[in-house]
Amino acid sequence: MPLISTKGSYGLAAICELSKHYGESVMQIKEIAANANIPQNYLEQLLGKLRRAGIVESIRGAKGGYKLARDPKKIKVLDILIALEDDLKIVDAKIDHPILNLFFEESRESLKDIFDISIMELSSYQNKFLNYTI
């Protein structure tokens, strides 16, 4: 089983789309789904979890939609993954081996450090992508 499921990947993609429009108008769910290539029904579930975690806000009405609840510089990738995945796990349960348990716990903490970057910091990957050649 992958460390990060489609929930986490799709959730990050949706937040990246919303971050492009931060401070502007709200985005409708169909627009987010189309831009991020996420099934709309699945996205609705993810945005509900992200709303309960305080990462996005929903606006009701004809001109309603979704927007980030706070500055993308203050939203960490780790926050999104924990909101959607519940936690980052290396293994499902502790095993009867204290050395491996220590190793897995340290690995989990290292993963948290890797994902402790803001959504805005992900923009550096856009530059890498644009400069990528085959």
Side-chain angles (χ1 to χ4, degrees), residues 8 14 25 53 66 74 81 93 106 115 127 133:
S25 61
Y66 287 88
K74 296 181 181 178
L81 293 176
E106 283 185 11
F115 294 122
N127 295 333
T133 57

Side-chain angles (χ1 to χ4, degrees), residues 1-98:
M1 177 189 271
L3 178 66
I4 299 171
S5 71
T6 54
K7 286 189 288 190
S9 298
Y10 283 166
L12 283 170
I15 296 301
C16 285
E17 282 303 313
L18 288 169
S19 72
K20 292 177 188 176
H21 297 274
Y22 181 70
E24 299 172 8
S25 61
V26 297
M27 290 184 74
Q28 293 187 342
I29 197 164
K30 64 183 176 185
E31 182 183 10
I32 301 166
N35 291 352
N37 199 25
I38 303 169
Q40 188 172 329
N41 291 341
Y42 195 39
L43 180 59
E44 288 175 21
Q45 297 171 27
L46 300 177
L47 289 172
K49 281 187 159 195
L50 292 167
R51 184 182 48 75
R52 287 187 292 279
I55 296 171
V56 299
E57 291 179 359
S58 61
I59 309 298
R60 295 183 181 263
K63 300 207 184 230
Y66 287 88
K67 66 179 186 172
L68 294 180
R70 55 187 193 261
D71 189 324
K73 293 176 187 169
K74 296 181 181 178
I75 298 173
K76 302 284 186 170
V77 169
L78 182 62
D79 299 335
I80 298 162
L81 293 176
I82 288 176
L84 296 172
E85 304 281 355
D86 298 323
D87 196 5
L88 298 177
K89 295 179 183 176
I90 303 290
V91 293
D92 286 335
K94 288 194 176 214
I95 58 173
D96 191 20
H97 196 288

Side-chain angles (χ1 to χ4, degrees), residues 101-112:
N101 284 330
L102 285 171
F103 170 72
F104 290 142
E105 182 57 33
E106 283 185 11
S107 299
R108 184 175 158 276
E109 292 304 315
S110 294
L111 276 175
K112 284 185 173 183

